[in-house]
């Protein structure tokens, strides 16, 4: 039976590219039939990667069948996976997030979690000497994943190993990292085709603080003004999104990749308190700049207080 | 702060030896202060290993402090770990059991789970070229763990890789595997100093089937008659143990290592039904032989029905 390889819902670049990398490895190196899948439409940067390197867009699936063999990459959180995930036959997990509990397997399986910036970096190491067999397009996906998750090495999640792997790949591929990253970030920053609600849900994780449920959304962009121009309607849309998704409040951090800072939208006093207690930031109006804050994993979630 | 490395409660050989192996690696190779710990008295085989290779017995701890750095080996089950485990700073997990869910980490950490017979086999691979620096006594612990978990390669959990690692170690150490395994199993089979309740809890995992909670206990021995001589008092003791431990029934499988079969004690009709439905075995009296059954993980738990 063909193994389905997928990342998390609302797929970003790593959750789009890593399934492609691992399905290649299973098929072409290990000889195990496998297919990359997506749990939703890829974001603009991920869509750019597919088009740029002529990689077929993986099919989108909504759930998995009982006992279907699957490999989970780039998450270990059941909330970010198909509803029936624990009914599937989970064969492996490759991830770089904290363990949240909740996933169960029917037997002992391969699980590899490493504290690096990107799933693709871990795959590079697991593939080892077989990297020599990897086609350029798949290597390009690997490079794109690492540049995306590290924000071209700007994110504090970046480890020296992520950087070394990306630089090795770029060298082999003859790609200039600064030029290519600029292309990627321009693609990611083109959000004109998305509704406000889509932007609020595009790169978002639920997180609870002191009984209050937040949807913690980030928008990484080289053009924050494009997003902030829509501030009023984004704030208006937060109530609807929160209501539909069963959370108390949406937090939107507009991450300015190039200037390495975030702007947090401040629709009400609840978020004003969050800004003050979490980031020691006094929000006078309906937004506040947080210098140096670019990583939800390392800087936003661990500091969130109410 | 010194990292505490420990396996599961009721430590067997792998949960005693693997913490010693990994603490050595952290201290002597990675230069990170670490200490092996135990979550209870080691079983007779594990105690034999410590004495035979002059390894200091790790200190026994009953719980872990908030934010104490720990490495968990040979389990990922919170029920088999200190009560405050999710309050500790879990830095790594190395295991070969199915994922049961429930462990949470504060950030992304190193997690390595592999479907092999023994934690020590995984450590061998993770240590890689630094195996050359490992002292003989620690290598002996590694060999003992693998021979114990594979029942000298008889258990169906054994992979070719476990066997290859053990044979490589034995060659380097100049140890005859058949002779040494016989010594180990004789040590494990000497259960004369244990009470019935201690035997029922010595190597035991809780497992629920259709709302009924079982304590699934195995006793691996080269001398099943020694245990079966105590059948009447073991059966008598089951009620007390079940009551004290909050389970409905203790199942005791006496595993005959050399003849590769188990004897299941049958104290009542509930266990008679379990024997019939799970193993197609008709129990006339107060015990029933299950030919070929030696592994709780591969043969007992997956088949348990009611």
């Amino acid at each position: 039976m063909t193994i389905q390889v997928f990342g998390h819902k609302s797929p970003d670049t790593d959750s789009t590219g890593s399934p492609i990398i691992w399905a290649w490895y299973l098929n072409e190196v290990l000889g195990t039939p496998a297919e990359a899948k997506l749990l939703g439409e890829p974001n603009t940067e991920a869509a750019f990667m597919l088009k740029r390197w002529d990689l077929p867009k993986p099919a989108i699936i909504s759930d998995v069948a009982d006992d279907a063999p699957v490999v989970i990459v780039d998450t270990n959180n059941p909330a970010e996976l198909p509803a029936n995930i624990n009914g599937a036959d989970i064969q492996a997990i490759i991830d770089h997030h904290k363990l949240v509990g909740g996933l169960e397997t029917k037997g002992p399986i391969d699980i590899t979690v490493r504290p690096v910036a990107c799933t693709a970096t871990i795959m590079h190491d697991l593939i080892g000497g077989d990297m020599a067999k990897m086609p350029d397009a798949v290597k390009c996906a690997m490079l794109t994943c690492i540049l995306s998750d590290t924000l071209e090495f700007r994110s504090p999640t970046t480890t020296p190993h992520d950087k070394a792997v990306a630089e090795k790949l770029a060298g082999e591929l003859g790609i200039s990292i600064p030029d290519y990253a600029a292309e990627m970030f321009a693609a990611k920053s083109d959000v004109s085709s998305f509704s406000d609600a889509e932007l609020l849900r595009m790169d978002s994780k639920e997180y609870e603080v002191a009984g209050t449920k937040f949807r913690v959304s980030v928008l990484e962009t080289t053009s924050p003004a494009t997003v902030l121009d829509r501030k009023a309607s984004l704030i208006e849309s937060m109530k609807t999104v929160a209501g539909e998704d069963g959370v108390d409040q949406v937090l939107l951090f507009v991450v300015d990749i190039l200037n390495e800072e975030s702007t947090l939208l401040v629709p009400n006093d609840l978020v004003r308190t969050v800004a003050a207690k979490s980031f020691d930031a006094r929000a006078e109006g309906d937004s506040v700049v947080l210098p140096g804050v670019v990583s939800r994993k390392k800087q936003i979630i661990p500091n969130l207080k109410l």
Side-chain angles (χ1 to χ4, degrees), chain A:
Chain A
M1 230 155 106
T2 302
I3 299 173
Q4 300 179 88
V5 187
F6 47 79
H8 54 72
K9 290 179 188 172
S10 301
D12 58 6
T13 301
D14 196 24
S15 266
T16 302
S18 290
I20 291 172
I21 297 166
W22 203 249
W24 167 79
Y25 180 62
L26 289 173
N27 279 313
E28 303 302 329
V29 180
L30 301 187
T32 309
E35 270 182 32
K37 302 281 179 174
L38 289 169
L39 302 187
E41 279 297 333
N43 74 10
T44 48
E45 187 186 70
F48 157 81
M49 169 183 70
L50 296 176
K51 204 165 167 190
R52 180 74 169 78
W53 305 111
D54 208 12
L55 291 158
K57 182 179 157 188
I60 296 176
I61 57 170
S62 55
D63 208 347
V64 288
D66 279 336
D67 300 317
V70 305
V71 169
I72 299 168
V73 304
D74 195 31
T75 182
N76 68 78
N77 187 346
E80 300 176 354
L81 288 162
N84 192 38
I85 192 66
N86 280 331
D89 175 16
I90 305 171
Q91 302 214 332
I93 301 169
I94 305 169
D95 187 25
H96 64 118
H97 294 89
K98 68 178 182 175
L99 197 62
V100 299
L103 275 191
E104 295 167 21
T105 66
K106 299 184 199 304
I109 65 163
D110 277 299
I111 303 176
T112 308
V113 181
R114 297 286 177 266
V116 294
C118 181
T119 307
T121 304
I122 305 168
M123 291 182 173
H124 170 271
D125 299 347
L126 292 173
I127 293 171
D130 292 313
M131 280 298 298
K133 302 176 190 162
M134 187 177 277
D136 279 358
V138 182
K139 273 191 190 169
C140 288
M142 191 174 258
L143 174 63
T144 313
C145 290
I146 301 175
L147 294 176
S148 172
D149 268 3
T150 62
L151 296 173
E152 197 192 352
F153 318 134
R154 289 176 180 90
S155 168
T157 58
T158 311
T159 68
H161 188 54
D162 293 291
K163 190 159 187 263
V165 171
E167 286 172 343
K168 191 198 78 166
L169 290 167
E172 289 169 11
L173 293 161
I175 288 177
S176 151
I177 286 181
D179 293 353
Y180 179 57
E183 266 189 81
M184 284 170 52
F185 298 151
K188 188 188 307 209
S189 304
D190 180 10
V191 295
S192 53
S193 66
F194 294 97
S195 70
D196 294 322
E198 284 170 334
L199 287 187
L200 293 177
R201 291 184 175 119
M202 188 174 285
D203 185 355
S204 186
K205 289 189 196 278
E206 291 185 20
Y207 190 73
E208 193 169 323
V209 182
T212 300
K213 283 185 189 163
F214 291 101
R215 185 178 256 299
V216 184
S217 302
V218 301
L219 272 181
E220 297 164 348
T221 177
T222 53
S223 174
T226 310
V227 180
L228 296 173
D229 280 350
R230 294 166 63 173
K231 191 162 58 177
S233 64
L234 281 164
I235 285 178
E236 192 52 39
S237 183
M238 283 180 178
K239 291 173 215 159
T240 320
V241 167
E244 286 177 4
D245 297 353
V247 301
D248 298 301
Q249 180 66 49
V250 178
L251 301 175
L252 179 63
F253 296 82
V254 182
V255 176
D256 182 337
I257 300 174
L258 302 179
N259 293 308
E260 300 187 29
E261 62 182 31
S262 291
T263 302
L264 170 63
L265 300 203
V266 182
N268 53 35
D269 285 345
L270 175 69
V271 180
R272 209 174 309 278
T273 307
V274 168
K277 293 207 179 173
S278 311
F279 306 103
D280 205 14
R282 191 180 300 180
E284 307 282 355
D286 57 4
S287 70
V288 61
V289 172
L290 310 173
V293 173
V294 297
S295 165
R296 176 171 50 208
K297 191 199 262 183
K298 283 264 189 183
Q299 298 171 305
I300 297 174
I301 295 283
N303 288 313
L304 224 50
K305 287 179 207 74
L306 188 59

